[in-house]
């Protein structure tokens, strides 16, 4: 279980937005492509990541970065959760 968690953390770390600031929709697109590439590269982990994405420190950090980028791009507060998912 610990080995799978560590592997999942490595995959999720690749979801993080790049350090380069660009239009929020370009970042959202890049993020979506990163997630898709990770799932295609590790299909056996796809279900586990979907179920446990918010569990680790890495996941929480990546989720926070994604939400902050959406907020900074002007996504209204009531729509943040929907835009994120």
């Amino acid at each position: 279980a610990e080995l799978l968690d560590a592997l999942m953390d490595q995959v999720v770390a690749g979801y993080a937005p790049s350090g380069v600031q660009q239009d929020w929709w370009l970042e959202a697109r890049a993020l979506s492509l990163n997630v898709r590439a990770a799932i295609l590269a590790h299909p056996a982990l796809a279900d586990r990541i979907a179920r446990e994405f918010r569990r680790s420190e890495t996941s929480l950090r990546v989720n926070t970065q994604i939400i902050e980028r959406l907020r900074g791009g002007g996504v209204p507060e009531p729509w943040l959760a929907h835009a994120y998912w």
Side-chain angles (χ1 to χ4, degrees), residues 16-45:
S18 71
V20 177
Q21 294 288 331
Q22 49 188 341
D23 288 336
W24 74 268
W25 62 270
L26 288 175
E27 291 191 34
R29 181 179 186 277
L31 170 69
S32 296
L33 292 173
N34 287 349
V35 171
R36 182 179 187 277
I39 288 172
L40 289 174
H42 307 282
L45 290 178

Side-chain angles (χ1 to χ4, degrees), residues 3 8 13-14 17 19 25 28 34-35 44 46-47 51 55 58-59 61 63 65 70 72 80 83:
L3 180 59
M8 193 171 71
W25 62 270
N34 287 349
V35 171
D47 184 57
R51 283 184 285 116
R55 202 174 108 178
T58 301
S59 295
R61 179 181 50 80
N63 285 335
Q65 289 174 335
L70 290 170
L80 275 174

Side-chain angles (χ1 to χ4, degrees), residues 44-64:
L45 290 178
D47 184 57
R48 185 177 178 103
I49 289 170
R51 283 184 285 116
E52 301 179 25
F53 185 57
R54 296 173 303 271
R55 202 174 108 178
S56 71
E57 284 187 40
T58 301
S59 295
L60 292 173
R61 179 181 50 80
V62 170
N63 285 335
T64 299

